Amino acid sequence: NCIEGLVKTLRDIANSPYSPEYDIAGITDPFLHIRLLKLLRILGQGDAGASDCMTDILAQVASRTESNKNAGNAILYECVETIMSIEDNGGLRVLAFNILGRFLSNRDNNIRYVGLNMLMKAIMVDAKAVQRHRATILECVKDSDASIQKRALELVYLLVNESNVKPLTKELIEYLEVSNQEFKGDITAKICSLVEKFSPAKIWYIDQMLKVLSEAGNFVKDEVWHALIIVISNASDLHGYTVRALYRVFQASTEQESLVRVAVWCVGEYGDMLVNNVGMLDIEEPITVTESDAVDAMEVAIKCQRLGLTTKAMALIALFKLSSRFPSCSERIKDIIVQNKRSLVLELQQRSIEFSCILQKHHNIRSALVERMPILDEATFTGRKAGSLPTAVSTSSIIPCNLPNGIAKPAAAPIGDLLDLSSDDAPPAPVSSGGDFLQDLLGVDLSPASAPS
């Protein structure tokens, strides 16, 4: 009985003639309109009979209210909220989504923002209906207003699934190329997350990540390029294809540091596949790279002033690995490494001294030291990234190895830890006794004197 009265009152207001004392922008008493719609929304939730009673009046309000005035848009907004909240009615839902589509096409940024917010809620009710407005939502991502950009990007993120990940990712990457610097961080994070979550194949994943890194590599977090290296390591049939693709983009630009890191790592691991064109795919264009060209690329990375210490250290390791794979360039590689022995950066200086020592005095173990990395464990890395595995090795898992100086050495960490810098906080290995250590260090006997007989 209450609902029938409310419906009658709303119908009377909607059809009432012009009354100056209640008129706002040509609409009769929009405040009472909104109050009635809110009350109907509360009464219609979970009640199919009540929802049926208000269907006709909601359709009338939704179709007859003018949308070119703020008062009318306020009523339409409440009408859509009510339609989405009451029990399912297919025809009304279509009408509500059409109203939201008009909101997105409105020139007023406030109304467009409201439309995006409504679609964020509506996607939980009818995702397919929201998908029909995908093109308009993508246009909102390219809007000049930062608030609309971010809200539209969040909505696109929710719209992506296995069937549409390729076209949506393509659109987002194309916009990434022309987006403002302050927005690149947000859009890059979303693209990387989508590619990782919905990737249909590893080659597609690698291609998309290379595009992102080449456009906005300085905006990605370390976990992104760590994950890419692990995927590359596991795609044994794509090693040649990947190292050639990375070499091409590296030659084009060294501005994106994350891209350079992945490139130098791959060249260090698969440099022989690069120069010998191993594993060529039908989609590739032929490329000619000599051993000297690969060494040139690593030397550029070491000497580039804009690149950081981590990148230069990775390039130095890559050169050390290539010294065994490229015998014709071994002397040149040795000279480059020796030059860095005079580096003012302690890390590079120490690495260069150690590598030079191996190259000059330990030829018999060099090939074993620079062997290709074994396949990295994707499951372990994913678990660490999700927080399901501890980032530090627990003391209970340490297997002590007896060394001459009496210090227990922890067992080797998993291979995945080589890319996980978060394990630096592992507890120090316990010292069994200070006496043995000082005895080795000072060369004196600190053992207690034997008791006199």
Side-chain angles (χ1 to χ4, degrees), residues 322-352:
L322 294 179
S323 66
S324 177
R325 297 184 176 93
F326 296 167
S328 63
C329 295
S330 59
E331 287 302 318
R332 183 187 167 196
I333 292 173
K334 187 186 299 183
D335 292 340
I336 297 172
I337 292 176
V338 169
Q339 290 172 14
N340 284 274
K341 290 168 67 175
R342 299 188 296 271
S343 173
L344 297 178
V345 181
L346 182 60
E347 176 72 18
L348 297 180
Q349 183 187 112
Q350 181 177 346
R351 288 175 187 262
S352 300

Side-chain angles (χ1 to χ4, degrees), residues 343-380:
S343 173
L344 297 178
V345 181
L346 182 60
E347 176 72 18
L348 297 180
Q349 183 187 112
Q350 181 177 346
R351 288 175 187 262
S352 300
I353 291 172
E354 293 169 353
F355 294 164
S356 297
C357 182
I358 294 172
L359 290 174
Q360 294 172 5
K361 301 178 182 179
H362 302 284
H363 297 284
N364 55 330
I365 64 170
R366 184 182 62 175
S367 59
L369 289 175
V370 299
E371 282 183 357
R372 190 168 292 163
M373 287 276 289
I375 294 176
L376 304 175
D377 187 3
E378 282 185 277
T380 300

Side-chain angles (χ1 to χ4, degrees), residues 1-267:
N1 294 335
C2 176
I3 291 174
E4 290 176 359
L6 292 172
V7 169
K8 181 179 182 302
T9 304
L10 184 57
R11 182 177 289 109
D12 291 342
I13 297 173
N15 298 325
S16 64
Y18 177 74
S19 302
E21 62 271 26
Y22 298 113
D23 179 81
I24 296 179
I27 297 173
T28 302
D29 204 340
F31 296 101
L32 185 54
H33 261 97
I34 291 170
R35 289 290 182 183
L36 289 169
L37 288 169
K38 285 183 176 180
L39 185 52
L40 289 174
R41 177 161 74 243
I42 295 171
L43 297 173
Q45 288 179 350
D47 190 332
S51 299
D52 288 338
C53 291
M54 60 185 77
T55 299
D56 291 339
I57 186 58
L58 290 176
Q60 180 180 338
V61 172
S63 56
R64 293 187 180 181
T65 304
E66 296 183 26
S67 60
N68 57 349
K69 299 171 183 177
N70 279 341
N73 285 320
I75 293 173
L76 289 173
Y77 171 81
E78 292 298 338
C79 188
V80 171
E81 282 270 29
T82 303
I83 291 171
M84 293 298 178
S85 299
I86 65 174
E87 293 304 296
D88 187 26
N89 185 296
L92 275 181
R93 289 274 172 85
V94 172
L95 193 56
F97 280 106
N98 289 340
I99 292 172
L100 294 179
R102 293 204 303 271
F103 279 6
L104 294 183
S105 302
N106 200 297
R107 289 180 295 180
D108 188 331
N109 283 351
N110 292 323
I111 294 174
R112 296 172 73 190
Y113 188 82
V114 167
L116 291 170
N117 273 339
M118 287 291 296
L119 286 172
M120 292 279 288
K121 299 176 184 177
I123 198 170
M124 306 304 296
V125 178
D126 192 343
K128 290 183 179 180
V130 180
Q131 289 279 2
R132 289 197 288 269
H133 299 282
R134 196 171 67 196
T136 311
I137 296 168
L138 278 170
E139 287 300 315
C140 291
V141 175
K142 305 172 185 177
D143 194 89
S144 57
D145 188 287
S147 299
I148 292 178
Q149 281 182 339
K150 290 182 179 180
R151 186 60 55 161
L153 183 60
E154 291 171 3
L155 185 53
V156 170
Y157 184 75
L158 294 175
L159 287 175
V160 175
N161 53 41
E162 290 83 356
S163 61
N164 61 22
V165 63
K166 287 187 176 181
L168 281 178
T169 302
K170 181 176 181 293
E171 291 274 357
L172 291 175
I173 290 177
E174 287 177 356
Y175 176 61
L176 177 63
E177 298 173 3
V178 297
S179 62
N180 297 327
Q181 291 293 319
E182 60 270 15
F183 191 49
K184 282 186 182 291
D186 287 338
I187 193 170
T188 299
K190 287 290 189 294
I191 294 173
C192 292
S193 179
L194 292 175
V195 170
E196 183 177 355
K197 186 176 180 181
F198 296 106
S199 173
K202 286 187 176 180
I203 186 170
W204 185 83
Y205 173 90
I206 292 170
D207 286 341
Q208 305 313 307
M209 293 305 300
L210 292 190
K211 291 177 183 177
V212 172
L213 291 180
S214 58
E215 289 296 333
N218 293 332
F219 293 90
V220 302
K221 297 180 179 179
D222 286 345
E223 294 84 19
V224 172
W225 64 270
H226 290 176
L228 176 57
I229 284 179
I230 290 176
V231 171
I232 293 171
S233 169
N234 283 265
S236 56
D237 55 332
L238 298 174
H239 287 166
Y241 169 80
T242 304
V243 72
R244 285 186 289 273
L246 281 164
Y247 181 81
R248 288 190 185 96
V249 293
F250 176 82
Q251 291 295 102
S253 173
T254 59
E255 294 180 357
Q256 307 297 336
E257 189 151 12
S258 295
L259 177 70
V260 175
R261 290 178 182 180
V262 179
V264 298
W265 186 89
C266 282
V267 172

